[in-house]
């Protein structure tokens, strides 16, 4: 058979996308205060803003939507969903939520609070916000190579175990109610965590009796990377690898909008009965009754089906290869991308892409705006807009300045990817004429969603 990896599906239903002119896009981005979250989606040609909730569902998932049981309590769809989650995670209590952050909100309300410290290989933005909102400190402990965007390493998502042990010794185990491990590690580039690292993280935490929770949004992509890159796993099924990953966890939070291939949904699963009890009480107040948790019965049914499909190895091979193909095409033209490419996105290294723009003039934001102007492409800055801070009146930049091009699951074909890569290469060619940005408005939490910007004058405002 040909070595070419093709989309492992055919298309049954199509949705048109809108073509716009450069002049139109200039007006649209100005009206959106240069924040791509504030654009109308209809004004975007290829949307790489996120892989969250943007997947194309399969015909079987749509059939499951029709078959969903909308009973308030004891819905058949819930039991189907619960069985599927237990089968993969082995965790005892499964609590549906409307998306991942609702599960996080419950976990940190129940387990977090003032004075507590939550370690994670790297907190995702909503996770950090929920930890901090509860009054706890969110501590990121990525391995050093995670910050070297040009350096290849197979498992850049790993937790730095030396720093984790130092942290436990410094703050004391009593202040650490749980430790999180994000698989794949989204904020450092969708990079996988090795089984060895998951196992060793668990072993270290066990010594101090600290529970381990997986932020499991992309567990299937992570499991596939383990199969490809970690010795001893090449002949195991992705499902068995996923099961082993979860076997080290005492609980997990999940955004089903990622690796459950649905447009809305999430869950919390855990082993501790008294924590599950507390979580359910909170769930009833904020999300809904424990057998639907903020979702319709049909959503639970579609999730159950999606959790099955996502572990199909032909799907995962196509998924991971299409991201890699995108990254390779950019690298061939010299565009600085984070290597290796991760599971769900290609990340541009904005520091190397726009060396003339300092972090406080938001080089990632500058690239994002330019990609929209060039090709109607929507990406997201993951850098100082998202993670930068004002500390005592001084600007503290993020560790990395990245632009994420997250690829929705099963939505775009190879020619969409080729078109996008060419637009990015065009912007790279004229990079010395791209201006920096200043933030003119920002809210207290999760500022990247609603902040306003304006372009700086390239000649006057940019320090050399
Ligand atoms: C998306 C995501 C979340 C939050 O999930 P939502 O469904 O968007 O609320 C948490 N952690 C990680 C790693 C994510 O990618």
């Amino acid at each position: 058979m040909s070595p070419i990896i093709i989309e492992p599906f055919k298309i049954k239903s199509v949705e048109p996308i809108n073509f716009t002119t450069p002049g139109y896009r200039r007006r649209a981005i100005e009206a959106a205060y240069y924040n791509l979250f504030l654009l109308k989606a209809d004004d975007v040609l290829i949307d790489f803003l996120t892989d969250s909730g943007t997947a194309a569902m399969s015909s079987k998932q749509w059939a499951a939507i029709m078959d969903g049981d909308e009973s308030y309590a004891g819905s058949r769809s819930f039991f189907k969903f619960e069985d599927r989650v237990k089968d993969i995670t082995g965790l005892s209590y499964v609590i549906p939520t409307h998306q991942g952050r609702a599960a996080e909100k419950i976990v940190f309300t129940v387990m977090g609070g003032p004075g507590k410290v939550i370690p994670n290989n790297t907190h995702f933005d909503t996770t950090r916000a929920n930890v901090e909102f509860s009054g706890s400190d969110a501590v990121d402990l990525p391995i050093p190579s995670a910050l070297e965007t040009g350096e290849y390493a197979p498992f850049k998502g790993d937790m730095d175990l030396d720093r984790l042990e130092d942290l436990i010794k410094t703050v004391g185990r009593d202040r650490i109610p749980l430790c999180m491990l994000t698989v794949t590690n989204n904020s450092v580039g969708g990079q996988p965590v090795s089984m060895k690292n998951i196992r060793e993280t668990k072993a270290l935490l066990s010594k101090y009796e600290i529970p381990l929770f997986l932020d499991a949004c992309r567990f299937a992509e992570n499991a596939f990377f383990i199969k490809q890159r970690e010795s001893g796993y090449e002949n195991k099924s992705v499902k068995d690898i996923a099961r082993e990953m979860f076997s080290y966890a005492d609980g997990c939070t999940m955004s089903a909008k990622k690796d459950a291939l649905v447009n809305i949904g999430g869950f919390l699963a855990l082993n501790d009965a008294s924590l599950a009890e507390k979580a359910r009480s909170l769930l009833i107040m904020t999300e809904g009754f424990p057998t639907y948790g903020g979702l319709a019965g049909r959503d639970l049914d579609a999730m159950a089906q999606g959790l099955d499909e996502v572990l199909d190895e032909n799907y995962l091979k196509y998924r991971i290869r299409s991201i890699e193909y995108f990254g390779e095409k950019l690298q061939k033209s010299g565009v600085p991308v984070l290597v290796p490419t991760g599971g769900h996105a290609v990340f541009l290294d904005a520091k190397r892409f726009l060396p003339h723009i300092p972090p406080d003039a938001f080089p990632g934001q500058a690239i994002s705006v330019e990609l929209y102007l060039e090709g109607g492409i929507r990406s997201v800055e993951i850098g100082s807009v998202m993670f930068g801070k004002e500390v005592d009146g001084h600007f503290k930049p993020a560790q990395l300045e990245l632009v994420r091009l997250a690829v929705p699951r099963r939505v775009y074909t190879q020619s969409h990817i080729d078109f996008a890569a060419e637009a990015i290469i065009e912007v790279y060619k004229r990079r010395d004429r791209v201006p920096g940005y200043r933030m003119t408005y920002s809210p207290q939490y999760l500022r990247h969603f609603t902040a306003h910007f304006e372009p700086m004058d390239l000649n006057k405002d940019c320090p050399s």
Side-chain angles (χ1 to χ4, degrees):
M1 271 240 285
S2 158
I4 293 174
I5 292 166
I6 59 168
E7 285 83 358
F9 50 79
K10 53 187 179 172
I11 297 167
K12 187 166 231 155
S13 178
V14 298
E15 185 182 356
I17 51 179
N18 291 334
F19 291 87
T20 51
T21 62
Y24 182 93
R25 292 195 290 276
R26 182 151 294 284
R27 290 190 296 278
I29 195 73
E30 195 184 324
Y33 302 97
Y34 299 92
N35 183 339
L36 289 95
F37 280 102
L38 303 180
L39 284 172
K40 289 185 180 141
D42 274 352
D43 292 339
V44 174
L45 184 64
I46 301 185
D47 206 343
F48 293 137
L49 184 74
T50 177
D51 63 322
S52 178
T54 52
M57 290 210 295
S58 67
S59 52
K60 283 194 178 156
Q61 283 179 294
W62 284 109
I65 289 268
M66 198 64 226
D67 198 40
D69 173 7
E70 302 306 337
S71 303
Y72 189 96
S75 155
R76 175 180 73 239
S77 300
F78 170 75
F79 294 111
K80 202 163 138 190
F81 158 77
E82 186 190 38
D83 270 357
R84 197 57 51 82
V85 174
K86 284 186 176 175
D87 179 43
I88 297 168
T89 66
L91 294 163
S92 311
Y93 303 99
V94 179
I95 298 171
T97 58
H98 79 277
Q99 56 184 87
R101 72 197 67 184
E104 292 168 351
K105 170 82 179 150
I106 291 171
V107 168
F108 298 114
T109 304
V110 173
M111 302 177 80
K116 303 266 170 64
V117 178
I118 315 291
N120 197 325
N121 48 350
T122 312
H123 287 84
F124 183 61
D125 59 352
T126 61
T127 323
R128 171 172 288 279
N130 273 302
V131 168
E132 291 176 351
F133 188 77
S134 85
S136 306
D137 282 338
V139 180
D140 292 338
L141 302 170
I143 55 168
S145 76
L147 302 177
E148 304 300 329
T149 62
E151 204 175 280
Y152 181 94
F155 291 105
K156 282 176 146 182
D158 282 358
M159 169 84 82
D160 188 327
L161 292 165
D162 293 335
R163 287 166 68 204
L164 177 59
E165 185 148 33
D166 282 349
L167 180 80
I168 299 170
K169 286 182 177 154
T170 313
V171 308
R173 67 122 350 252
D174 292 341
R175 288 178 60 201
I176 306 181
L178 75 156
C179 171
M180 301 278 297
L181 199 49
T182 305
V183 296
T184 56
N185 192 342
N186 188 352
S187 306
V188 304
Q191 299 294 314
V193 179
S194 66
M195 192 72 85
K196 178 170 183 280
N197 191 253
I198 301 175
R199 198 185 300 123
E200 290 177 357
T201 302
K202 175 63 185 171
L204 174 61
L205 294 170
S206 294
K207 225 167 64 178
Y208 297 93
E209 293 176 40
I210 297 169
L212 173 64
F213 275 53
L214 295 185
D215 178 339
C217 298
R218 298 179 183 80
F219 75 96
E221 290 171 6
N222 199 90
F224 188 73
F225 278 120
I226 289 175
K227 184 177 171 108
Q228 280 188 319
R229 297 182 185 168
E230 192 162 348
S231 76
Y233 289 92
E234 46 286 80
N235 297 319
K236 293 216 160 109
S237 73
V238 171
K239 186 168 182 178
D240 282 342
I241 295 172
R243 282 180 171 147
E244 186 183 337
M245 286 164 51
F246 283 108
S247 74
Y248 303 115
D250 302 284
C252 74
T253 56
M254 169 84 186
S255 170
K257 302 171 71 170
K258 314 323 182 352
D259 269 355
L261 298 169
V262 289
N263 306 120
I264 194 73
F267 60 86
L268 163 64
L270 31 80
N271 274 338
D272 183 312
S274 81
L275 278 176
E277 180 63 38
K278 285 185 199 153
R280 282 197 178 121
S281 306
L282 201 57
L283 184 86
I284 292 180
M285 263 188 290
T286 59
E287 291 280 291
F289 189 74
T291 61
Y292 71 84
L295 293 165
R298 56 178 172 265
D299 299 324
L300 297 166
D301 232 287
M303 270 203 275
Q305 177 63 26
L307 285 169
D308 206 32
E309 291 176 12
V310 81
L311 291 167
D312 171 14
E313 302 195 11
N314 285 324
Y315 159 75
L316 284 166
K317 194 185 282 176
Y318 138 80
R319 170 76 178 155
I320 301 303
R321 176 59 198 152
S322 48
I323 309 289
E324 191 181 53
Y325 170 84
F326 192 1
E328 279 170 6
K329 191 156 173 133
L330 294 173
Q331 275 177 280
K332 277 183 199 145
S333 295
V335 177
V337 300
L338 191 154
V339 294
T341 45
H344 65 295
V346 168
F347 290 72
L348 308 177
D349 183 342
K351 276 188 204 169
R352 286 190 283 143
F353 196 117
L354 298 177
H356 63 288
I357 300 182
D360 63 356
F362 308 121
Q365 192 65 24
I367 295 172
S368 280
V369 170
E370 230 51 48
L371 297 184
Y372 177 69
L373 291 172
E374 179 70 32
I377 293 160
R378 181 153 68 168
S379 55
V380 66
E381 192 262 16
I382 299 198
S384 288
V385 173
M386 196 178 273
F387 294 119
K389 275 196 173 144
E390 292 296 328
V391 181
D392 304 326
H394 293 285
F395 173 76
K396 185 168 173 277
Q399 286 186 301
L400 296 173
E401 301 294 339
L402 302 174
V403 174
R404 188 184 73 180
L405 298 137
V407 182
R409 294 171 179 77
R410 306 189 293 204
V411 170
Y412 294 117
T413 63
Q414 185 174 345
S415 49
H416 291 111
I417 299 287
D418 284 334
F419 174 93
E422 275 160 29
I424 296 165
I425 292 164
E426 279 312 305
V427 170
Y428 188 61
K429 285 185 190 153
R430 58 177 171 77
R431 60 191 177 277
D432 54 345
R433 280 171 285 140
V434 173
Y437 283 78
R438 75 169 67 79
M439 205 182 273
T440 55
Y441 159 76
S442 91
Q444 190 183 359
Y445 290 104
L446 295 169
R447 65 179 185 173
H448 52 287
F449 287 133
T450 52
H452 295 175
F453 301 88
E454 65 184 23
M456 291 168 143
D457 185 317
L458 196 55
N459 301 316
K460 267 195 295 187
D461 293 336
C462 274
S464 50

